[in-house]
C-alpha cells in the first residue's frame, strides 16, 4: 500500500472540461504543469474508444500516473454500482476522462512503487470517477463548477511494476534532456517501455520524465509536451524533431494547392529546414498561350495567302503576319509580352477617358445645380433692400400710373 492523491480531468452533464479534482497542496504552477501534460493525452479524442492511453510524467516535486479513456470504459471496471448514466453529457455525447494519481517526492524515500501497466484493465483508476459523479449535476453559474475538489493522500492497493533485465535497455533508453525531440516507439512496445520508465523514476528521483502510451499519430506526439511516447503508425524507434513543422509549412506553400506535400504524407525527421533552401522558381520568357496564338495565327495566314490577290508575298508572308497577330493576341490574353503591354496601355487609356468623361459629367451636374439654386433665389425671394428700393422699371411703372 502506498499513498497517492487523486487528479481528475473531465466534463460533467452541463459544464465543460476542467480539473474536477487535484491534490490539496497543488499550487497554481503545479496545476498548470499537470494540465499541460493531461491535455497532451487528450488529442484526437475520437480515437480513444477501446484505446486507453496510459501516461506518466514527473518533475522535481511530483510524479503523476494516469489513464485517458472513455468514461464508460472506466465505469465498467468499477466495483461500485452506478445508478444513473453519467457517461454522456447534455448533448448526448460520450465523455472521456483523465483519471490519475499524484505522488509527492520524499527526499528520504523517493517515490512509491509505480503501478503495473495493465492496458485495458483500468480497475486501479475506476474509483476516481466518483469525483465526476460528485460534480455531475453542477450548473455553470455555480461556484462548484469553477473550483476543483481537493483530494488528500490516501493509501491505495495495487500491483507494482516489476523490474526486468531480459530486454534491451539501450533500446528503451528515455529522452530526458532534449525538449526539442520526441522519442517514439512502435505501439507494441508499451508494456516494456512502461517498465523501463518505472525503473528510471524509481532509481533516479531527481530527473524529470514524461511518457505517453498509445497516442493516435506522430503529429499528436510532436505537438504534445511529452518527450517519450508510442503512437499508431510508428514502425521503428525514432527521434522526431519538433522543428519539423517549419519545414512542412515551407514545402506546403511552395507546392500547388492540389499537391499534397511529402512532409505531410510522411512526416519524418528527414525533412529539414535547409532541404529546400536551394530551390528557386524560374519563370519562362513566354507564355504557352502566346505560342498557341502564334501557331493558330500562322496557319490562318497560310490559308488566307492562298486566296488570289488577297495578300502579296505568298505563304511565307501570310504565315509571318498571321503568327505575329496570333502572338500579340496571346499576349493580350496572358498579360505578357507585347500583347500584354498593348492591352495594359489600352486599358489605361480607356480608364483615363472614362475618368475624364465622369469628371465632365460631375462638373455639368454641379453647374446645373447651382443654376437651379440661383433661379430659386431669383424667383422666390427678395432682400429687404430690394423690397424697400424696387428697380427703376418698377418705379417708372408707378409714376406712369399716377396719370390716371
Amino acid at each position: 500500500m502506498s499513498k497517492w492523491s487523486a487528479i481528475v480531468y473531465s466534463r460533467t452533464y452541463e459544464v465543460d472540461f476542467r480539473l474536477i479534482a487535484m491534490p490539496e497542496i497543488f499550487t497554481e504552477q503545479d496545476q498548470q504543469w499537470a494540465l499541460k501534460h493531461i491535455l497532451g493525452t487528450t488529442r484526437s479524442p475520437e480515437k480513444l474508444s477501446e484505446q486507453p492511453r496510459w501516461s506518466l510524467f514527473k518533475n522535481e516535486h511530483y510524479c503523476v500516473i494516469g489513464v485517458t479513456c472513455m468514461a464508460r470504459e472506466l465505469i465498467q471496471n468499477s466495483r461500485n454500482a452506478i445508478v444513473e448514466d453519467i457517461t454522456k453529457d447534455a448533448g448526448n455525447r460520450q465523455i472521456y476522462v483523465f483519471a490519475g494519481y499524484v505522488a509527492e517526492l520524499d527526499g528520504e524515500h523517493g517515490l512509491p512503487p509505480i503501478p503495473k501497466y495493465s492496458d485495458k484493465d483500468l480497475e486501479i483508476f475506476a474509483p476516481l470517477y466518483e469525483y465526476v459523479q460528485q460534480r455531475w449535476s453542477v450548473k455553470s453559474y455555480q461556484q462548484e463548477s469553477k473550483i476543483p475538489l481537493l483530494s488528500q493522500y490516501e493509501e491505495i492497493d495495487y500491483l507494482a511494476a516489476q523490474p526486468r533485465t531480459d530486454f534491451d535497455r539501450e533500446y528503451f533508453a528515455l529522452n530526458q534532456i532534449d525538449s526539442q525531440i520526441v522519442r517514439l516507439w512502435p505501439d507494441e512496445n508499451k508494456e516494456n517501455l512502461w517498465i523501463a520508465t518505472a525503473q528510471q523514476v524509481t532509481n533516479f528521483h531527481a530527473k524529470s520524465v514524461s511518457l505517453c502510451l498509445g497516442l493516435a499519430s506522430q503529429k499528436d506526439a510532436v505537438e504534445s509536451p511529452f518527450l517519450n511516447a508510442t503512437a499508431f503508425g510508428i514502425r521503428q524507434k525514432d527521434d522526431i524533431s519538433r522543428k519539423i513543422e517549419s519545414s512542412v509549412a515551407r514545402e506546403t506553400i511552395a507546392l500547388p494547392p492540389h499537391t499534397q506535400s511529402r512532409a505531410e504524407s510522411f512526416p519524418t525527421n528527414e525533412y529539414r529546414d535547409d532541404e529546400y533552401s536551394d530551390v528557386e522558381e524560374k519563370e519562362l520568357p513566354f507564355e504557352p498561350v502566346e505560342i498557341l496564338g502564334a501557331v493558330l495565327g500562322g496557319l490562318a495566314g497560310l490559308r488566307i495567302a492562298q486566296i488570289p490577290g488577297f495578300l502579296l508575298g505568298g505563304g511565307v508572308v501570310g504565315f509571318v503576319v498571321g503568327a505575329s497577330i496570333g502572338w500579340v493576341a496571346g499576349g493580350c490574353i496572358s498579360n505578357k509580352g507585347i500583347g500584354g503591354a498593348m492591352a495594359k496601355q489600352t486599358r489605361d487609356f480607356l480608364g483615363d477617358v472614362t475618368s475624364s468623361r465622369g469628371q465632365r459629367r460631375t462638373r455639368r451636374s454641379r453647374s446645373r445645380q447651382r443654376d437651379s439654386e440661383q433661379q430659386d433665389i431669383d424667383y422666390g425671394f427678395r432682400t429687404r433692400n430690394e423690397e424697400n428700393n424696387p428697380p427703376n422699371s418698377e418705379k417708372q411703372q408707378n409714376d406712369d400710373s399716377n396719370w390716371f
Side-chain angles (χ1 to χ4, degrees):
M1 305 249 326
S2 301
K3 286 189 175 183
W4 297 81
S5 181
I7 182 168
V8 179
Y9 173 87
S10 187
R11 69 160 295 144
T12 48
Y13 187 68
E14 293 186 11
V15 185
D16 206 358
F17 286 93
R18 64 207 187 274
L19 270 180
I20 292 180
M22 69 176 188
E24 61 179 352
I25 60 174
F26 253 25
T27 65
E28 180 68 24
Q29 185 177 0
D30 299 329
Q31 182 178 340
Q32 294 303 319
W33 167 77
L35 265 177
K36 178 179 68 173
H37 288 84
I38 291 171
L39 292 176
T41 70
T42 63
R43 301 184 68 86
S44 303
E46 69 279 1
K47 298 182 180 179
L48 273 172
S49 182
E50 300 299 326
Q51 300 292 341
R53 300 170 188 165
W54 287 58
S55 58
L56 183 156
F57 43 98
K58 170 188 170 296
N59 62 11
E60 64 272 19
H61 301 297
Y62 301 99
C63 179
V64 180
I65 60 165
V67 67
T68 303
C69 63
M70 303 307 295
R72 65 175 184 271
E73 297 169 12
L74 195 62
I75 288 180
Q76 290 172 359
N77 290 269
S78 177
R79 297 176 182 176
N80 301 328
I82 303 298
V83 178
E84 58 178 330
D85 184 8
I86 54 174
T87 64
K88 294 182 180 180
D89 64 9
N92 202 36
R93 295 169 296 189
Q94 291 287 342
I95 293 174
Y96 60 87
V97 57
F98 171 88
Y101 294 102
V102 182
E104 187 176 9
L105 266 72
D106 186 332
E108 183 179 353
H109 300 98
L111 285 171
I114 302 300
K116 177 184 177 181
Y117 174 75
S118 54
D119 197 13
K120 297 181 182 180
D121 182 0
L122 308 177
E123 183 178 350
I124 184 177
F125 302 107
L128 297 174
Y129 203 70
E130 293 180 6
Y131 287 99
V132 178
Q133 190 174 15
Q134 291 181 41
R135 287 285 195 253
W136 184 249
S137 301
V138 72
K139 308 294 183 182
S140 59
Y141 55 81
Q142 293 179 308
Q143 190 68 14
E144 290 85 349
S145 68
K146 302 174 178 62
I147 301 177
L149 293 165
L150 300 181
S151 61
Q152 299 180 348
Y153 286 91
E154 299 177 357
E155 296 279 351
I156 63 171
D157 189 13
Y158 59 88
L159 294 176
Q162 297 300 316
R164 289 178 56 180
T165 58
D166 58 344
F167 62 85
D168 189 347
R169 293 181 179 274
E170 184 178 353
Y171 180 78
F172 291 106
L174 301 175
N175 172 27
Q176 296 180 263
I177 301 174
D178 193 349
S179 61
Q180 295 302 314
I181 295 291
V182 56
R183 184 161 295 170
L184 292 180
W185 286 264
D187 216 42
E188 57 266 22
N189 294 135
K190 288 189 289 189
E191 183 174 0
N192 286 337
L193 192 55
W194 185 266
I195 293 173
T197 306
Q199 292 181 211
Q200 181 72 21
V201 300
T202 303
N203 296 333
F204 303 96
H205 306 152
K207 292 187 177 181
S208 296
V209 177
S210 60
L211 169 72
C212 185
L213 304 178
L215 288 171
S217 66
Q218 175 180 302
K219 182 175 183 292
D220 286 351
V222 169
E223 294 180 353
S224 78
F226 290 94
L227 302 187
N228 305 274
T230 69
F232 289 100
I234 301 300
R235 298 181 180 179
Q236 61 183 7
K237 176 185 174 183
D238 202 359
D239 286 351
I240 309 299
S241 173
R242 299 188 194 275
K243 296 180 181 179
I244 186 176
E245 297 302 322
S246 60
S247 63
V248 172
R250 172 184 282 182
E251 185 178 21
T252 302
I253 293 172
L255 291 173
H258 63 275
T259 305
Q260 185 182 25
S261 66
R262 288 184 299 143
E264 184 180 15
S265 302
F266 306 98
T268 63
N269 62 339
E270 64 178 335
Y271 301 105
R272 302 181 300 276
D273 283 345
D274 58 349
E275 185 174 353
Y276 306 97
S277 58
D278 296 331
V279 178
E280 296 182 358
E281 295 184 1
K282 296 182 179 180
E283 293 187 0
L284 294 174
F286 49 80
E287 290 291 321
V289 68
E290 291 180 300
I291 298 176
L292 180 61
V295 172
L296 295 178
L299 293 176
L302 284 175
R303 295 296 301 272
I304 293 173
Q306 295 174 2
I307 302 175
F310 190 84
L311 185 65
L312 298 177
V316 175
V317 175
F319 180 83
V320 172
V321 172
S324 301
I325 295 174
W327 183 278
V328 172
C332 291
I333 295 173
S334 62
N335 278 330
K336 295 289 182 70
I338 299 175
M342 293 173 62
K344 183 179 183 303
Q345 290 180 358
T346 303
R347 286 195 298 268
D348 294 343
F349 175 74
L350 293 176
D352 293 340
V353 171
T354 303
S355 176
S356 177
R357 289 179 178 175
Q359 291 175 359
R360 286 199 296 270
R361 292 194 194 98
T362 302
R363 287 196 296 267
R364 292 196 198 101
S365 176
R366 290 176 179 174
S367 178
R368 293 192 190 101
Q369 185 177 1
R370 285 195 299 268
D371 293 343
S372 176
E373 291 174 353
Q374 185 62 40
Q375 288 178 358
D376 291 340
I377 294 173
D378 292 342
Y379 291 125
F381 304 95
R382 286 185 177 180
T383 64
R384 186 177 300 273
N385 290 334
E386 288 178 336
E387 290 178 358
N388 296 333
N389 301 295
N392 293 333
S393 60
E394 292 186 13
K395 285 183 179 181
Q396 185 65 37
Q397 270 191 342
N398 291 337
D399 293 342
D400 291 344
S401 63
N402 292 333
W403 289 96
F404 299 95

